[in-house]
Amino acid sequence: EPEVTQTPSHQVTQMGQEVILRCVPISNHLYFYWYRQILGQKVEFLVSFYNNEISEKSEIFDDQFSVERPDGSNFTLKIRSTKLEDSAMYFCASSPLQAGENYEQYFGPGTRLTVT
Amino acid sequence: GQSLEQPSEVTAVEGAIVQINCTYQTSGFYGLSWYQQHDGGAPTFLSYNALDGLEETGRFSSFLSRSDSYGYLLLQELQMKDSASYFCAVRDRSISSGNTPLVFGKGTRLSVIA
C-alpha cells in the first residue's frame, strides 16, 4: 500500500540553525500539507500546497518557514533559524486531487525535531 | 475561528464499548473526521461524517449531529491495541475552499485495561 515517507526520523539542531525536513508524498496525490505536534499536544496545521504554490497557511507559518517541491517527488519544509519552541514532531500529509467521500489525509511517520 | 472539545482521557475494559465525544465550534462546517494516533506514530484516518447519522466501519462507528455541533466515535469490542489517542478534526470551509486543512481537537487518550 502506498505511503507517505519522511526523512529524517529525528533531527537535532542548535538554536539559530537551518533545518530542512523532507517528505515524499504518495505518488498520485496532488495536495500536500505540513502539520506539527508539540509533545503531548494536538496536531496543528502549518501549510498546504497545491500546484506548486502555497494554498493556505496558519499563523504559525511565519517568515522563518518555507516549503518547496524541488522535483516531482519531494516536498520539503525549511525552518531558517530554529528556535527552542520549534521543537516538535512534524508530520507531512497528502491527499488526492479528488478527495473522495472521506477527505482522508494520509500522514507520514513524522520527523521529531529537537532544538537545543 | 474553530475550536473542538473532547475529553482528555478515557479508560475502558477490554471487550467493552467506549464512546468518545467531540463538540465543535466553527464559522463554517464541512465534515467531522476521526484519527487514531498511537504513541510515537502518525495520525491515521478512521472515519468521516458529513451528514447527520451513524457511519459504521467494523468495530468503529462515528456519529454526527450537525444541529448540535456534536459527534462521537464509538469503539466496540475493545482490544488492548486500541489504546491510543483519538482526535476529532473538522474541515472548516471558512478557512479555504478546495483542499481544506484539518483542524484537530486536543485528542482523547484511551487506555484499554484488562
Side-chain angles (χ1 to χ4, degrees):
Chain A
E1 185 174 334
E3 58 184 18
V4 177
T5 60
Q6 292 185 241
T7 54
S9 57
H10 191 189
Q11 174 92 48
V12 181
T13 188
Q14 289 189 327
M15 194 167 52
Q17 295 297 304
E18 174 183 287
V19 294
I20 297 176
L21 310 183
R22 291 182 166 79
C23 168
V24 179
I26 294 173
S27 62
N28 63 344
H29 286 186
L30 295 178
Y31 293 111
F32 314 121
Y33 314 82
W34 283 101
Y35 293 85
R36 79 172 186 190
Q37 185 178 32
I38 295 170
L39 187 64
Q41 298 187 23
K42 66 178 178 178
V43 177
E44 299 176 290
F45 167 71
L46 292 177
V47 64
S48 59
F49 193 85
Y50 170 70
N51 200 26
N52 287 318
E53 62 183 21
I54 291 173
S55 49
E56 291 294 335
K57 59 182 180 180
S58 72
E59 61 273 14
I60 301 170
F61 193 87
D62 61 22
D63 292 343
Q64 294 298 312
F65 292 88
S66 62
V67 289
E68 193 177 34
R69 188 155 166 80
D71 54 42
S73 59
N74 289 284
F75 179 50
T76 63
L77 175 70
K78 181 191 291 186
I79 309 175
R80 289 189 183 81
S81 179
T82 51
K83 303 185 287 287
L84 293 176
E85 53 264 39
D86 293 328
S87 294
M89 182 74 90
Y90 287 80
F91 292 105
C92 173
S94 68
S95 60
L97 176 62
Q98 297 300 326
E101 295 181 344
N102 294 329
Y103 297 94
E104 178 179 353
Q105 293 186 11
Y106 297 77
F107 284 77
T111 293
R112 178 161 297 285
L113 176 65
T114 303
V115 182
T116 62
Chain B
Q2 318 81 37
S3 68
L4 298 97
E5 295 293 328
Q6 50 182 131
S8 57
E9 292 183 11
V10 172
T11 300
V13 177
E14 194 175 15
I17 299 172
V18 71
Q19 178 174 313
I20 299 174
N21 299 320
C22 174
T23 57
Y24 58 86
Q25 284 189 310
T26 61
S27 49
F29 178 77
Y30 212 65
L32 183 70
S33 301
W34 288 93
Y35 282 76
Q36 179 193 59
Q37 186 182 32
H38 286 98
D39 284 346
T44 56
F45 173 82
L46 290 177
S47 68
Y48 173 75
N49 295 69
L51 303 175
D52 288 356
L54 191 68
E55 295 281 343
E56 298 182 66
T57 309
R59 293 188 299 114
F60 294 178
S61 303
S62 57
F63 172 84
L64 176 66
S65 169
R66 294 173 68 124
S67 60
D68 295 322
S69 298
Y70 163 76
Y72 65 72
L73 179 70
L74 192 73
L75 297 84
Q76 303 182 71
E77 300 173 20
L78 280 173
Q79 302 175 8
M80 300 299 284
K81 67 178 183 180
D82 296 330
S83 293
S85 291
Y86 293 84
F87 294 87
C88 56
V90 292
R91 297 177 62 245
D92 189 331
R93 196 70 171 170
S94 68
I95 296 178
S96 74
S97 59
N99 59 324
T100 311
L102 292 170
V103 178
F104 285 84
K106 293 183 177 180
T108 298
R109 187 170 186 86
L110 171 64
S111 298
V112 180
I113 59 176

